[in-house]
Amino acid sequence: MASTASEIIAFMVSISGWVLVSSTLPTDYWKVSTIDGTVITTATYWANLWKACVTDSTGVSNCKDFPSMLALDGYIQACRGLMIAAVSLGFFGSIFALFGMKCTKVGGSDKAKAKIACLAGIVFILSGLCSMTGCSLYANKITTEFFDPLFVEQKYELGAALFIGWAGASLCIIGGVIFCFSISDNNKTPRYAYNGATSVMSSRTKYHGGEDFKTKPFKQFDKNAYV
């Protein structure tokens, strides 16, 4: 029962992390910068993995999509690949988890389901690591440019998408670790049916052996022995 509960908790945590990681791809604010006037914010610059935009004080946004994938900076291409890999791994990890959980009717025997659940945990951990690496790589580029005194272009700060990605990656890793430890809980589960059958057979053997021991001395003496 404890193993089943831990698998359900791991599944909910991992799926929540995967949803958060998936939501970072279309999120606008990977990096953001504002230009303040004397009274109001005159413009807000922001960018994600797909486009760069500017929003004026009236709320009108002008966006420019990145023209070519081959012409992009290397860190943006790497972040795209890592985040797409994280989403894909999380999808396959959720399928493996459904087959490996004890509360489902598919997946085979308990031993086979435990191995599938452990595989799901490994896949979720890889998904979390990909998301963590992609967000950290993007954040490292932002902070490097922000604190570089020789960088004269527009400087940005960390956007909300990065924090969402870090949170989702952490949940995926935590859920994957719980899934991996569930296989050890299944190996510790005793085989009550098998041990019970063995104990019944041994008790019957002892009972019949004791009965034979008690009855054999009396069967050796008959009426002619006393004549």
Side-chain angles (χ1 to χ4, degrees), residues 107-186:
S109 62
D110 289 343
K111 188 175 182 180
K113 290 171 76 67
K115 293 181 180 179
I116 297 174
C118 183
L119 177 62
I122 295 174
V123 173
F124 273 122
I125 291 174
L126 292 177
S127 175
L129 291 177
C130 288
S131 177
M132 187 76 70
T133 305
C135 293
S136 299
L137 181 62
Y138 200 91
N140 179 68
K141 181 67 175 180
I142 295 173
T143 54
T144 301
E145 293 177 351
F146 187 86
F147 292 107
D148 187 4
L150 302 179
F151 187 77
V152 296
E153 297 181 8
Q154 182 71 33
K155 294 185 177 182
Y156 292 88
E157 297 182 2
L158 303 180
L162 296 176
F163 298 99
I164 296 174
W166 282 325
S170 301
L171 291 177
C172 286
I173 293 174
I174 293 172
V177 170
I178 298 175
F179 266 126
C180 290
F181 278 110
S182 66
I183 191 172
S184 61
D185 295 336
N186 290 322

Side-chain angles (χ1 to χ4, degrees), residues 16-25 83 86-87 127-128 131 164-165 168-169 172:
S16 300
W18 176 59
V19 171
L20 289 177
V21 171
S22 301
S23 66
T24 59
L25 281 176
M83 297 306 295
V87 173
S127 175
S131 177
I164 296 174
C172 286

Side-chain angles (χ1 to χ4, degrees), residues 31-208:
K31 59 181 180 180
V32 61
S33 178
T34 58
I35 298 177
D36 297 329
T38 56
V39 179
I40 61 174
T41 299
T42 58
T44 301
Y45 294 86
W46 51 272
N48 56 14
L49 298 178
W50 316 103
K51 59 186 177 180
C53 300
V54 56
T55 303
D56 57 20
S57 58
T58 61
V60 178
S61 298
N62 295 319
C63 297
K64 180 182 179 181
D65 295 332
F66 295 137
S68 173
M69 183 182 68
L70 299 179
L72 289 176
D73 294 334
Y75 78 98
I76 296 180
Q77 296 182 14
C79 291
R80 281 184 178 182
L82 288 170
M83 297 306 295
I84 293 173
V87 173
S88 301
L89 288 172
F91 173 76
F92 288 109
S94 61
I95 295 178
F96 291 147
L98 289 175
F99 280 91
M101 294 174 65
K102 286 184 176 180
C103 57
T104 59
K105 300 295 184 181
V106 292
S109 62
D110 289 343
K111 188 175 182 180
K113 290 171 76 67
K115 293 181 180 179
I116 297 174
C118 183
L119 177 62
I122 295 174
V123 173
F124 273 122
I125 291 174
L126 292 177
S127 175
L129 291 177
C130 288
S131 177
M132 187 76 70
T133 305
C135 293
S136 299
L137 181 62
Y138 200 91
N140 179 68
K141 181 67 175 180
I142 295 173
T143 54
T144 301
E145 293 177 351
F146 187 86
F147 292 107
D148 187 4
L150 302 179
F151 187 77
V152 296
E153 297 181 8
Q154 182 71 33
K155 294 185 177 182
Y156 292 88
E157 297 182 2
L158 303 180
L162 296 176
F163 298 99
I164 296 174
W166 282 325
S170 301
L171 291 177
C172 286
I173 293 174
I174 293 172
V177 170
I178 298 175
F179 266 126
C180 290
F181 278 110
S182 66
I183 191 172
S184 61
D185 295 336
N186 290 322
N187 292 332
K188 294 178 182 179
T189 303
R191 305 284 185 176
Y192 292 108
Y194 178 79
N195 292 336
T198 304
S199 61
V200 170
M201 293 298 293
S202 60
S203 62
R204 289 181 178 178
T205 304
K206 292 179 181 179
Y207 175 75
H208 289 295

